[in-house]
Each structure stands twice: as structure tokens, then as C-alpha cells.
Short mmCIF file of all heavy atoms in Angstrom, two decimals:
data_model
loop_
_atom_site.label_atom_id
_atom_site.label_comp_id
_atom_site.label_asym_id
_atom_site.label_seq_id
_atom_site.Cartn_x
_atom_site.Cartn_y
_atom_site.Cartn_z
N THR A 26 0.97 65.86 55.59
CA THR A 26 0.03 66.77 54.93
C THR A 26 0.80 67.62 53.92
O THR A 26 2.02 67.80 54.05
CB THR A 26 -0.64 67.68 55.98
OG1 THR A 26 -1.65 68.45 55.35
CG2 THR A 26 0.36 68.63 56.61
N PRO A 27 0.14 68.14 52.89
CA PRO A 27 0.84 68.95 51.89
C PRO A 27 1.56 70.14 52.51
O PRO A 27 1.01 70.87 53.32
CB PRO A 27 -0.30 69.44 50.98
CG PRO A 27 -1.36 68.39 51.12
CD PRO A 27 -1.29 67.94 52.54
N THR A 28 2.81 70.33 52.12
CA THR A 28 3.60 71.47 52.56
C THR A 28 4.85 71.58 51.70
O THR A 28 5.32 70.59 51.16
CB THR A 28 4.02 71.35 54.04
OG1 THR A 28 4.81 72.49 54.40
CG2 THR A 28 4.82 70.11 54.30
N CYS A 29 5.36 72.80 51.58
CA CYS A 29 6.62 73.04 50.88
C CYS A 29 7.81 72.90 51.82
O CYS A 29 8.96 73.02 51.39
CB CYS A 29 6.64 74.45 50.30
SG CYS A 29 5.34 74.81 49.11
N GLY A 30 7.54 72.67 53.10
CA GLY A 30 8.55 72.74 54.14
C GLY A 30 9.93 72.21 53.83
O GLY A 30 10.92 72.94 53.91
N PRO A 31 10.07 70.91 53.49
CA PRO A 31 11.41 70.37 53.30
C PRO A 31 12.12 70.88 52.06
O PRO A 31 13.34 70.92 52.01
CB PRO A 31 11.16 68.86 53.21
CG PRO A 31 9.77 68.73 52.72
CD PRO A 31 9.03 69.89 53.33
N CYS A 32 11.36 71.26 51.03
CA CYS A 32 11.96 71.67 49.76
C CYS A 32 12.89 72.85 49.94
O CYS A 32 13.98 72.90 49.36
CB CYS A 32 10.86 72.01 48.76
SG CYS A 32 11.46 72.61 47.18
N LEU A 33 12.48 73.83 50.75
CA LEU A 33 13.28 75.03 50.94
C LEU A 33 14.01 75.04 52.27
O LEU A 33 14.51 76.08 52.72
CB LEU A 33 12.41 76.28 50.82
CG LEU A 33 11.43 76.57 51.96
CD1 LEU A 33 11.13 78.06 52.03
CD2 LEU A 33 10.14 75.79 51.78
N GLY A 34 14.10 73.87 52.92
CA GLY A 34 14.78 73.83 54.21
C GLY A 34 14.02 74.58 55.28
O GLY A 34 14.60 75.15 56.20
N GLY A 35 12.69 74.62 55.16
CA GLY A 35 11.87 75.37 56.10
C GLY A 35 11.54 74.59 57.36
O GLY A 35 11.75 75.06 58.47
N HIS A 36 11.03 73.38 57.17
CA HIS A 36 10.74 72.50 58.30
C HIS A 36 10.37 71.12 57.76
O HIS A 36 10.27 70.90 56.56
CB HIS A 36 9.61 73.07 59.18
CG HIS A 36 8.24 73.05 58.55
ND1 HIS A 36 7.10 72.80 59.27
CD2 HIS A 36 7.82 73.27 57.29
CE1 HIS A 36 6.05 72.86 58.48
NE2 HIS A 36 6.45 73.15 57.26
N MET A 37 10.22 70.18 58.68
CA MET A 37 9.79 68.81 58.36
C MET A 37 10.74 68.11 57.38
O MET A 37 10.33 67.64 56.32
CB MET A 37 8.36 68.81 57.82
CG MET A 37 7.36 69.35 58.82
SD MET A 37 5.66 69.40 58.21
CE MET A 37 5.25 67.67 58.24
N GLY A 38 12.01 68.07 57.74
CA GLY A 38 12.96 67.37 56.89
C GLY A 38 14.28 68.10 56.72
O GLY A 38 14.94 67.95 55.69
N ILE A 39 14.68 68.87 57.71
CA ILE A 39 15.92 69.65 57.63
C ILE A 39 17.12 68.71 57.69
O ILE A 39 17.17 67.76 58.49
CB ILE A 39 16.00 70.65 58.80
CG1 ILE A 39 14.74 71.51 58.86
CG2 ILE A 39 17.24 71.53 58.67
CD1 ILE A 39 14.48 72.30 57.61
N LEU A 40 18.12 68.99 56.86
CA LEU A 40 19.34 68.19 56.83
C LEU A 40 20.39 68.75 57.78
O LEU A 40 20.57 69.96 57.88
CB LEU A 40 19.91 68.15 55.42
CG LEU A 40 19.06 67.49 54.33
CD1 LEU A 40 19.76 67.60 52.99
CD2 LEU A 40 18.78 66.03 54.68
N ALA A 41 21.10 67.86 58.46
CA ALA A 41 22.20 68.24 59.34
C ALA A 41 23.50 68.33 58.54
O ALA A 41 23.56 67.95 57.36
CB ALA A 41 22.35 67.21 60.46
N LYS A 42 24.53 68.80 59.15
CA LYS A 42 25.84 68.94 58.53
C LYS A 42 26.31 67.58 57.99
O LYS A 42 26.25 66.57 58.69
CB LYS A 42 26.85 69.48 59.53
CG LYS A 42 28.26 69.66 58.97
CD LYS A 42 29.18 70.23 60.04
CE LYS A 42 30.59 70.40 59.49
NZ LYS A 42 31.50 70.99 60.52
N GLY A 43 26.73 67.56 56.74
CA GLY A 43 27.28 66.36 56.14
C GLY A 43 26.25 65.37 55.61
O GLY A 43 26.63 64.36 55.00
N GLU A 44 24.97 65.63 55.80
CA GLU A 44 23.95 64.69 55.34
C GLU A 44 23.62 64.91 53.86
O GLU A 44 23.74 66.02 53.34
CB GLU A 44 22.67 64.82 56.18
CG GLU A 44 22.84 64.30 57.59
CD GLU A 44 21.52 64.19 58.33
OE1 GLU A 44 20.68 65.11 58.20
OE2 GLU A 44 21.33 63.18 59.03
N ARG A 45 23.20 63.83 53.23
CA ARG A 45 22.82 63.87 51.82
C ARG A 45 21.36 63.42 51.67
O ARG A 45 20.94 62.48 52.33
CB ARG A 45 23.70 62.94 50.98
CG ARG A 45 25.18 63.27 50.98
CD ARG A 45 25.89 62.39 49.96
NE ARG A 45 27.33 62.52 50.05
CZ ARG A 45 28.12 61.65 50.67
NH1 ARG A 45 27.58 60.57 51.24
NH2 ARG A 45 29.41 61.83 50.71
N ALA A 46 20.66 64.08 50.77
CA ALA A 46 19.27 63.70 50.48
C ALA A 46 19.08 63.51 48.99
O ALA A 46 19.67 64.22 48.18
CB ALA A 46 18.30 64.77 50.98
N VAL A 47 18.26 62.54 48.64
CA VAL A 47 17.72 62.43 47.29
C VAL A 47 16.31 63.01 47.36
O VAL A 47 15.50 62.57 48.18
CB VAL A 47 17.69 60.98 46.79
CG1 VAL A 47 16.92 60.89 45.47
CG2 VAL A 47 19.09 60.45 46.59
N ALA A 48 16.02 63.99 46.52
CA ALA A 48 14.72 64.67 46.60
C ALA A 48 14.12 64.84 45.23
O ALA A 48 14.84 65.08 44.24
CB ALA A 48 14.89 66.04 47.28
N THR A 49 12.81 64.75 45.15
CA THR A 49 12.09 64.99 43.90
C THR A 49 11.73 66.46 43.77
O THR A 49 10.87 66.83 42.96
CB THR A 49 10.82 64.13 43.81
OG1 THR A 49 9.89 64.57 44.80
CG2 THR A 49 11.14 62.66 44.00
N THR A 50 12.37 67.31 44.55
CA THR A 50 12.11 68.75 44.52
C THR A 50 12.83 69.36 43.32
O THR A 50 13.32 68.66 42.44
CB THR A 50 12.55 69.37 45.84
OG1 THR A 50 13.92 69.01 46.11
CG2 THR A 50 11.70 68.86 46.98
N ASN A 51 12.93 70.69 43.27
CA ASN A 51 13.42 71.33 42.06
C ASN A 51 14.73 72.09 42.20
O ASN A 51 15.26 72.58 41.21
CB ASN A 51 12.34 72.27 41.50
CG ASN A 51 11.64 73.05 42.58
OD1 ASN A 51 12.26 73.53 43.53
ND2 ASN A 51 10.32 73.18 42.46
N ARG A 52 15.26 72.20 43.42
CA ARG A 52 16.50 72.97 43.60
C ARG A 52 17.43 72.24 44.56
O ARG A 52 16.98 71.61 45.52
CB ARG A 52 16.19 74.38 44.14
CG ARG A 52 15.60 75.25 43.08
CD ARG A 52 15.33 76.66 43.53
NE ARG A 52 14.88 77.45 42.40
CZ ARG A 52 14.17 78.56 42.49
NH1 ARG A 52 13.83 79.04 43.67
NH2 ARG A 52 13.82 79.23 41.40
N ASN A 53 18.72 72.37 44.28
CA ASN A 53 19.71 71.72 45.13
C ASN A 53 20.88 72.65 45.43
O ASN A 53 22.03 72.22 45.51
CB ASN A 53 20.21 70.41 44.48
CG ASN A 53 20.85 70.63 43.12
OD1 ASN A 53 20.73 71.70 42.52
ND2 ASN A 53 21.55 69.62 42.63
N PHE A 54 20.56 73.94 45.60
CA PHE A 54 21.59 74.93 45.90
C PHE A 54 22.23 74.65 47.26
O PHE A 54 21.70 73.88 48.07
CB PHE A 54 20.99 76.34 45.90
CG PHE A 54 20.23 76.69 44.66
CD1 PHE A 54 19.18 77.59 44.71
CD2 PHE A 54 20.55 76.14 43.43
CE1 PHE A 54 18.47 77.92 43.56
CE2 PHE A 54 19.85 76.46 42.28
CZ PHE A 54 18.81 77.36 42.35
N VAL A 55 23.33 75.32 47.54
CA VAL A 55 24.01 75.17 48.82
C VAL A 55 23.04 75.53 49.95
O VAL A 55 22.42 76.59 49.96
CB VAL A 55 25.25 76.10 48.90
CG1 VAL A 55 25.84 76.07 50.30
CG2 VAL A 55 26.29 75.67 47.88
#
């Protein structure tokens, strides 16, 4: 369902230590 969750590391797609993601989102800060 629509959500901003993964874009800001909020929920539904959190990355673990050392993982890499390709994302169509707009920010890739630390």
C-alpha cells in the first residue's frame, strides 16, 4: 500500500549493517 516508510528508513524495508539498496527515492544520506 502507498507509504513513505522505506524512503526515510521508517519501516517496511529497513536496511541492516553493510547492506546496499538501489532505490527510486530521492535521498541517499548516511
Side-chain angles (χ1 to χ4, degrees):
T26 187
T28 179
C29 300
C32 177
L33 71 154
H36 70 143
M37 299 178 73
I39 307 301
L40 297 177
K42 180 179 179 179
E44 289 191 318
R45 299 188 188 100
V47 172
T49 67
T50 54
N51 41 41
R52 287 182 174 157
N53 60 346
F54 307 151
V55 173

